[in-house]
Amino acid sequence: GLNVQLSRKRLLEMLAEVVQELAQPLAVINCSVDMVLSHKLGELVESQQQMLALVAESSERLKGLVAGLQRIVGVPATMSPDRALLDQVVGR
């Protein structure tokens, strides 16, 4: 493995980028599930509704976790992700 030494500030900056990258697709997932569950895209059979209810519950839990991480790292609501920093984090 790599022995990477990061300052606390740099680690929090990188975590802030990851949090933002998680928040954006999670918002799309939540919105999409809400639309389907509200029958705006057609009717659902009971098994579909139950499965989507599980997805909605899980995505809300993730939303809470992401919000907690945002508070920890002090991510402002208007912060946009830095692609170069994210690429470093995920090793692209």
Side-chain angles (χ1 to χ4, degrees):
L2 296 172
N3 185 11
V4 179
Q5 298 290 324
L6 297 174
S7 69
R8 180 177 169 83
K9 180 182 177 202
R10 182 72 172 141
L11 181 61
L12 288 174
E13 288 171 351
M14 292 175 72
L15 184 56
E17 294 294 329
V18 170
V19 166
Q20 285 301 107
E21 288 296 324
L22 289 171
Q24 292 170 357
L26 187 56
V28 172
I29 291 168
N30 285 333
C31 181
S32 299
V33 170
D34 288 345
M35 285 182 66
V36 174
L37 282 174
S38 68
H39 303 280
K40 292 184 180 182
L41 301 174
E43 293 302 313
L44 300 171
V45 297
E46 182 64 27
S47 61
Q48 291 170 320
Q49 192 149 343
Q50 290 172 353
M51 189 59 68
L52 283 170
L54 290 173
V55 171
E57 181 182 318
S58 293
S59 66
E60 283 300 315
R61 285 188 6 237
L62 283 174
K63 185 178 171 184
L65 290 171
V66 168
L69 286 173
Q70 284 177 318
R71 284 189 302 275
I72 289 169
V73 298
V75 176
T78 60
M79 183 176 168
S80 61
D82 177 350
R83 177 60 52 195
L85 183 57
L86 181 65
D87 288 346
Q88 285 180 341
V89 171
V90 296
R92 290 188 221 158

